Amino acid sequence: MGVRIAQCTLDVEDIDLMVSFWSAALGYDIEQGDDGSAKLWPPGGPSATAPTLWLQGSGTGKRDKNRLHLDLVADTDPQTEVRRLIDLGARHVDIGQTGSEQFTVLADPEGNEFCVLDSAPTR
């Protein structure tokens, strides 16, 4: 293997709102920068299965559908996690689902789409 995903970066408009949402959603620790950005660290530090999340203040809102998005997998019942994420500020998003998908599409408080998978990907 030549490379691996070490960090996911998300451009955000409201850094405080997004730090609050994503740190609570993922259970990550916050390292707030003084440059309008924040790095979120997984418990125990980053690993091949848990990269860091960098929230980069952009000063502009999201305009179109994401070209790249996060797929999350729950440690517990996926629909329980979906309800918890909605309580944190996420919302359901329709991107053309048929209803037979094995994932739920949500958007964070700034409209960035992400999915909660029914189970971890397998070969």
mmCIF file of all heavy atoms in Angstrom, residues 15-50:
data_model
loop_
_atom_site.group_PDB
_atom_site.id
_atom_site.type_symbol
_atom_site.label_atom_id
_atom_site.label_comp_id
_atom_site.label_asym_id
_atom_site.label_seq_id
_atom_site.Cartn_x
_atom_site.Cartn_y
_atom_site.Cartn_z
ATOM 1 N N ILE A 15 -17.519 27.741 12.239
ATOM 2 C CA ILE A 15 -16.613 26.779 12.867
ATOM 3 C C ILE A 15 -17.143 26.284 14.209
ATOM 4 O O ILE A 15 -17.081 25.089 14.506
ATOM 5 C CB ILE A 15 -15.175 27.348 12.987
ATOM 6 C CG1 ILE A 15 -14.187 26.265 13.396
ATOM 7 C CG2 ILE A 15 -15.118 28.517 13.942
ATOM 8 C CD1 ILE A 15 -13.828 25.306 12.322
ATOM 9 N N ASP A 16 -17.701 27.163 15.031
ATOM 10 C CA ASP A 16 -18.188 26.751 16.349
ATOM 11 C C ASP A 16 -19.351 25.768 16.237
ATOM 12 O O ASP A 16 -19.393 24.763 16.951
ATOM 13 C CB ASP A 16 -18.589 27.960 17.187
ATOM 14 C CG ASP A 16 -17.397 28.848 17.537
ATOM 15 O OD1 ASP A 16 -16.276 28.311 17.687
ATOM 16 O OD2 ASP A 16 -17.579 30.071 17.645
ATOM 17 N N LEU A 17 -20.283 26.047 15.349
ATOM 18 C CA LEU A 17 -21.421 25.152 15.127
ATOM 19 C C LEU A 17 -20.951 23.779 14.670
ATOM 20 O O LEU A 17 -21.392 22.752 15.176
ATOM 21 C CB LEU A 17 -22.369 25.758 14.082
ATOM 22 C CG LEU A 17 -23.528 24.873 13.629
ATOM 23 C CD1 LEU A 17 -24.509 24.634 14.769
ATOM 24 C CD2 LEU A 17 -24.222 25.500 12.430
ATOM 25 N N MET A 18 -20.033 23.777 13.728
ATOM 26 C CA MET A 18 -19.590 22.506 13.154
ATOM 27 C C MET A 18 -18.683 21.722 14.099
ATOM 28 O O MET A 18 -18.734 20.495 14.131
ATOM 29 C CB MET A 18 -18.923 22.764 11.814
ATOM 30 C CG MET A 18 -19.888 23.401 10.814
ATOM 31 S SD MET A 18 -21.351 22.396 10.518
ATOM 32 C CE MET A 18 -20.648 21.285 9.317
ATOM 33 N N VAL A 19 -17.863 22.410 14.883
ATOM 34 C CA VAL A 19 -17.054 21.728 15.903
ATOM 35 C C VAL A 19 -17.984 21.052 16.903
ATOM 36 O O VAL A 19 -17.787 19.896 17.278
ATOM 37 C CB VAL A 19 -16.099 22.721 16.610
ATOM 38 C CG1 VAL A 19 -15.573 22.152 17.920
ATOM 39 C CG2 VAL A 19 -14.943 23.090 15.692
ATOM 40 N N SER A 20 -19.006 21.772 17.327
ATOM 41 C CA SER A 20 -19.965 21.223 18.283
ATOM 42 C C SER A 20 -20.647 19.978 17.715
ATOM 43 O O SER A 20 -20.731 18.946 18.389
ATOM 44 C CB SER A 20 -20.996 22.294 18.644
ATOM 45 O OG SER A 20 -21.960 21.769 19.506
ATOM 46 N N PHE A 21 -21.131 20.069 16.478
ATOM 47 C CA PHE A 21 -21.834 18.933 15.874
ATOM 48 C C PHE A 21 -20.912 17.740 15.675
ATOM 49 O O PHE A 21 -21.195 16.639 16.145
ATOM 50 C CB PHE A 21 -22.470 19.326 14.527
ATOM 51 C CG PHE A 21 -23.088 18.141 13.833
ATOM 52 C CD1 PHE A 21 -24.337 17.681 14.218
ATOM 53 C CD2 PHE A 21 -22.416 17.464 12.823
ATOM 54 C CE1 PHE A 21 -24.908 16.568 13.612
ATOM 55 C CE2 PHE A 21 -22.974 16.352 12.211
ATOM 56 C CZ PHE A 21 -24.224 15.900 12.606
ATOM 57 N N TRP A 22 -19.807 17.921 14.956
ATOM 58 C CA TRP A 22 -18.962 16.790 14.578
ATOM 59 C C TRP A 22 -18.227 16.178 15.766
ATOM 60 O O TRP A 22 -18.034 14.962 15.816
ATOM 61 C CB TRP A 22 -18.007 17.173 13.448
ATOM 62 C CG TRP A 22 -18.719 17.190 12.134
ATOM 63 C CD1 TRP A 22 -19.041 18.283 11.380
ATOM 64 C CD2 TRP A 22 -19.234 16.059 11.429
ATOM 65 N NE1 TRP A 22 -19.725 17.890 10.257
ATOM 66 C CE2 TRP A 22 -19.856 16.533 10.257
ATOM 67 C CE3 TRP A 22 -19.240 14.694 11.680
ATOM 68 C CZ2 TRP A 22 -20.459 15.688 9.329
ATOM 69 C CZ3 TRP A 22 -19.843 13.838 10.754
ATOM 70 C CH2 TRP A 22 -20.446 14.337 9.609
ATOM 71 N N SER A 23 -17.821 16.977 16.748
ATOM 72 C CA SER A 23 -17.155 16.380 17.915
ATOM 73 C C SER A 23 -18.146 15.521 18.700
ATOM 74 O O SER A 23 -17.799 14.436 19.162
ATOM 75 C CB SER A 23 -16.519 17.449 18.798
ATOM 76 O OG SER A 23 -17.482 18.306 19.349
ATOM 77 N N ALA A 24 -19.392 15.995 18.840
ATOM 78 C CA ALA A 24 -20.412 15.207 19.528
ATOM 79 C C ALA A 24 -20.815 13.989 18.705
ATOM 80 O O ALA A 24 -21.008 12.900 19.249
ATOM 81 C CB ALA A 24 -21.638 16.071 19.828
ATOM 82 N N ALA A 25 -20.933 14.151 17.390
ATOM 83 C CA ALA A 25 -21.341 13.040 16.531
ATOM 84 C C ALA A 25 -20.328 11.904 16.580
ATOM 85 O O ALA A 25 -20.700 10.729 16.660
ATOM 86 C CB ALA A 25 -21.515 13.529 15.092
ATOM 87 N N LEU A 26 -19.040 12.252 16.525
ATOM 88 C CA LEU A 26 -17.994 11.239 16.432
ATOM 89 C C LEU A 26 -17.352 10.878 17.768
ATOM 90 O O LEU A 26 -16.616 9.897 17.857
ATOM 91 C CB LEU A 26 -16.901 11.710 15.469
ATOM 92 C CG LEU A 26 -17.339 11.943 14.028
ATOM 93 C CD1 LEU A 26 -16.210 12.580 13.225
ATOM 94 C CD2 LEU A 26 -17.797 10.639 13.381
ATOM 95 N N GLY A 27 -17.591 11.694 18.803
ATOM 96 C CA GLY A 27 -16.928 11.465 20.077
ATOM 97 C C GLY A 27 -15.454 11.828 20.022
ATOM 98 O O GLY A 27 -14.640 11.263 20.739
ATOM 99 N N TYR A 28 -15.105 12.773 19.148
ATOM 100 C CA TYR A 28 -13.708 13.185 18.955
ATOM 101 C C TYR A 28 -13.368 14.351 19.876
ATOM 102 O O TYR A 28 -14.213 15.168 20.232
ATOM 103 C CB TYR A 28 -13.489 13.626 17.511
ATOM 104 C CG TYR A 28 -13.218 12.518 16.506
ATOM 105 C CD1 TYR A 28 -13.687 11.227 16.690
ATOM 106 C CD2 TYR A 28 -12.499 12.801 15.357
ATOM 107 C CE1 TYR A 28 -13.439 10.236 15.750
ATOM 108 C CE2 TYR A 28 -12.247 11.811 14.412
ATOM 109 C CZ TYR A 28 -12.713 10.535 14.611
ATOM 110 O OH TYR A 28 -12.456 9.558 13.689
ATOM 111 N N ASP A 29 -12.082 14.440 20.230
ATOM 112 C CA ASP A 29 -11.560 15.548 21.028
ATOM 113 C C ASP A 29 -11.292 16.743 20.125
ATOM 114 O O ASP A 29 -10.926 16.584 18.956
ATOM 115 C CB ASP A 29 -10.267 15.139 21.731
ATOM 116 C CG ASP A 29 -10.479 14.006 22.726
ATOM 117 O OD1 ASP A 29 -11.532 13.995 23.395
ATOM 118 O OD2 ASP A 29 -9.599 13.132 22.828
ATOM 119 N N ILE A 30 -11.412 17.929 20.678
ATOM 120 C CA ILE A 30 -11.302 19.174 19.907
ATOM 121 C C ILE A 30 -9.959 19.846 20.167
ATOM 122 O O ILE A 30 -9.553 20.004 21.320
ATOM 123 C CB ILE A 30 -12.419 20.158 20.313
ATOM 124 C CG1 ILE A 30 -13.790 19.527 20.111
ATOM 125 C CG2 ILE A 30 -12.279 21.479 19.575
ATOM 126 C CD1 ILE A 30 -14.911 20.270 20.828
ATOM 127 N N GLU A 31 -9.309 20.244 19.086
ATOM 128 C CA GLU A 31 -8.131 21.117 19.167
ATOM 129 C C GLU A 31 -8.443 22.320 18.291
ATOM 130 O O GLU A 31 -8.333 22.266 17.066
ATOM 131 C CB GLU A 31 -6.884 20.397 18.655
ATOM 132 C CG GLU A 31 -5.631 21.224 18.755
ATOM 133 C CD GLU A 31 -4.421 20.465 18.229
ATOM 134 O OE1 GLU A 31 -4.317 19.256 18.446
ATOM 135 O OE2 GLU A 31 -3.590 21.119 17.579
ATOM 136 N N GLN A 32 -8.904 23.385 18.939
ATOM 137 C CA GLN A 32 -9.335 24.586 18.214
ATOM 138 C C GLN A 32 -8.118 25.400 17.810
ATOM 139 O O GLN A 32 -7.261 25.690 18.652
ATOM 140 C CB GLN A 32 -10.251 25.428 19.102
ATOM 141 C CG GLN A 32 -10.962 26.539 18.385
ATOM 142 C CD GLN A 32 -12.317 26.123 17.848
ATOM 143 O OE1 GLN A 32 -12.940 25.211 18.344
ATOM 144 N NE2 GLN A 32 -12.758 26.791 16.816
ATOM 145 N N GLY A 33 -8.030 25.766 16.535
ATOM 146 C CA GLY A 33 -6.945 26.609 16.075
ATOM 147 C C GLY A 33 -7.285 28.072 16.259
ATOM 148 O O GLY A 33 -8.450 28.430 16.439
ATOM 149 N N ASP A 34 -6.282 28.935 16.217
ATOM 150 C CA ASP A 34 -6.548 30.364 16.295
ATOM 151 C C ASP A 34 -6.632 30.971 14.901
ATOM 152 O O ASP A 34 -6.670 32.183 14.733
ATOM 153 C CB ASP A 34 -5.501 31.087 17.153
ATOM 154 C CG ASP A 34 -4.078 30.861 16.669
ATOM 155 O OD1 ASP A 34 -3.885 30.218 15.621
ATOM 156 O OD2 ASP A 34 -3.154 31.325 17.362
ATOM 157 N N ASP A 35 -6.680 30.112 13.901
ATOM 158 C CA ASP A 35 -6.748 30.549 12.502
ATOM 159 C C ASP A 35 -8.116 30.293 11.876
ATOM 160 O O ASP A 35 -8.265 30.292 10.666
ATOM 161 C CB ASP A 35 -5.670 29.849 11.685
ATOM 162 C CG ASP A 35 -5.832 28.332 11.670
ATOM 163 O OD1 ASP A 35 -6.687 27.808 12.424
ATOM 164 O OD2 ASP A 35 -5.113 27.663 10.906
ATOM 165 N N GLY A 36 -9.144 30.033 12.707
ATOM 166 C CA GLY A 36 -10.477 29.758 12.179
ATOM 167 C C GLY A 36 -10.665 28.311 11.773
ATOM 168 O O GLY A 36 -11.583 27.992 11.022
ATOM 169 N N SER A 37 -9.816 27.416 12.256
ATOM 170 C CA SER A 37 -9.946 25.993 11.946
ATOM 171 C C SER A 37 -9.941 25.212 13.254
ATOM 172 O O SER A 37 -9.674 25.749 14.324
ATOM 173 C CB SER A 37 -8.794 25.526 11.053
ATOM 174 O OG SER A 37 -7.573 25.552 11.780
ATOM 175 N N ALA A 38 -10.250 23.925 13.144
ATOM 176 C CA ALA A 38 -10.193 23.041 14.305
ATOM 177 C C ALA A 38 -9.864 21.640 13.823
ATOM 178 O O ALA A 38 -10.299 21.217 12.750
ATOM 179 C CB ALA A 38 -11.520 23.036 15.056
ATOM 180 N N LYS A 39 -9.083 20.935 14.608
ATOM 181 C CA LYS A 39 -8.800 19.532 14.323
ATOM 182 C C LYS A 39 -9.517 18.703 15.364
ATOM 183 O O LYS A 39 -9.461 19.000 16.561
ATOM 184 C CB LYS A 39 -7.305 19.247 14.360
ATOM 185 C CG LYS A 39 -7.007 17.803 13.940
ATOM 186 C CD LYS A 39 -5.543 17.582 13.701
ATOM 187 C CE LYS A 39 -5.198 18.123 12.341
ATOM 188 N NZ LYS A 39 -3.901 17.684 11.853
ATOM 189 N N LEU A 40 -10.207 17.686 14.902
ATOM 190 C CA LEU A 40 -10.901 16.763 15.790
ATOM 191 C C LEU A 40 -10.130 15.453 15.790
ATOM 192 O O LEU A 40 -9.854 14.881 14.727
ATOM 193 C CB LEU A 40 -12.342 16.557 15.331
ATOM 194 C CG LEU A 40 -13.190 17.834 15.221
ATOM 195 C CD1 LEU A 40 -14.617 17.483 14.825
ATOM 196 C CD2 LEU A 40 -13.173 18.634 16.505
ATOM 197 N N TRP A 41 -9.778 15.007 16.992
ATOM 198 C CA TRP A 41 -8.942 13.818 17.184
ATOM 199 C C TRP A 41 -9.777 12.652 17.704
ATOM 200 O O TRP A 41 -10.498 12.802 18.690
ATOM 201 C CB TRP A 41 -7.846 14.122 18.190
ATOM 202 C CG TRP A 41 -6.882 15.156 17.736
ATOM 203 C CD1 TRP A 41 -6.952 16.504 17.931
ATOM 204 C CD2 TRP A 41 -5.682 14.934 17.005
ATOM 205 N NE1 TRP A 41 -5.875 17.129 17.360
ATOM 206 C CE2 TRP A 41 -5.078 16.186 16.788
ATOM 207 C CE3 TRP A 41 -5.060 13.790 16.497
ATOM 208 C CZ2 TRP A 41 -3.875 16.331 16.101
ATOM 209 C CZ3 TRP A 41 -3.863 13.931 15.817
ATOM 210 C CH2 TRP A 41 -3.279 15.182 15.628
ATOM 211 N N PRO A 42 -9.648 11.476 17.085
ATOM 212 C CA PRO A 42 -10.359 10.315 17.618
ATOM 213 C C PRO A 42 -9.794 9.914 18.975
ATOM 214 O O PRO A 42 -8.602 10.153 19.243
ATOM 215 C CB PRO A 42 -10.104 9.224 16.577
ATOM 216 C CG PRO A 42 -8.905 9.655 15.817
ATOM 217 C CD PRO A 42 -8.844 11.152 15.908
ATOM 218 N N PRO A 43 -10.618 9.339 19.833
ATOM 219 C CA PRO A 43 -10.115 8.885 21.133
ATOM 220 C C PRO A 43 -8.941 7.921 20.924
ATOM 221 O O PRO A 43 -8.994 7.043 20.072
ATOM 222 C CB PRO A 43 -11.315 8.157 21.751
ATOM 223 C CG PRO A 43 -12.503 8.708 21.037
ATOM 224 C CD PRO A 43 -12.024 9.052 19.647
ATOM 225 N N GLY A 44 -7.869 8.132 21.662
ATOM 226 C CA GLY A 44 -6.700 7.270 21.521
ATOM 227 C C GLY A 44 -5.782 7.679 20.377
ATOM 228 O O GLY A 44 -4.765 7.051 20.149
ATOM 229 N N GLY A 45 -6.148 8.704 19.643
ATOM 230 C CA GLY A 45 -5.310 9.173 18.540
ATOM 231 C C GLY A 45 -5.726 8.583 17.208
ATOM 232 O O GLY A 45 -6.471 7.605 17.137
ATOM 233 N N PRO A 46 -5.252 9.189 16.114
ATOM 234 C CA PRO A 46 -5.628 8.728 14.787
ATOM 235 C C PRO A 46 -5.054 7.340 14.478
ATOM 236 O O PRO A 46 -4.036 6.945 15.039
ATOM 237 C CB PRO A 46 -5.045 9.785 13.849
ATOM 238 C CG PRO A 46 -3.982 10.466 14.636
ATOM 239 C CD PRO A 46 -4.358 10.337 16.075
ATOM 240 N N SER A 47 -5.750 6.628 13.617
ATOM 241 C CA SER A 47 -5.302 5.298 13.189
ATOM 242 C C SER A 47 -5.795 5.062 11.773
ATOM 243 O O SER A 47 -6.504 5.891 11.205
ATOM 244 C CB SER A 47 -5.852 4.223 14.123
ATOM 245 O OG SER A 47 -7.255 4.121 13.967
ATOM 246 N N ALA A 48 -5.462 3.923 11.222
ATOM 247 C CA ALA A 48 -5.907 3.581 9.874
ATOM 248 C C ALA A 48 -7.425 3.487 9.797
ATOM 249 O O ALA A 48 -8.011 3.698 8.743
ATOM 250 C CB ALA A 48 -5.277 2.263 9.425
ATOM 251 N N THR A 49 -8.072 3.199 10.913
ATOM 252 C CA THR A 49 -9.530 3.081 10.917
ATOM 253 C C THR A 49 -10.229 4.308 11.474
ATOM 254 O O THR A 49 -11.449 4.398 11.406
ATOM 255 C CB THR A 49 -9.979 1.845 11.719
ATOM 256 O OG1 THR A 49 -9.480 1.965 13.052
ATOM 257 C CG2 THR A 49 -9.465 0.565 11.083
ATOM 258 N N ALA A 50 -9.465 5.248 12.031
ATOM 259 C CA ALA A 50 -10.064 6.449 12.610
ATOM 260 C C ALA A 50 -9.179 7.660 12.310
ATOM 261 O O ALA A 50 -8.370 8.060 13.139
ATOM 262 C CB ALA A 50 -10.260 6.283 14.113
#
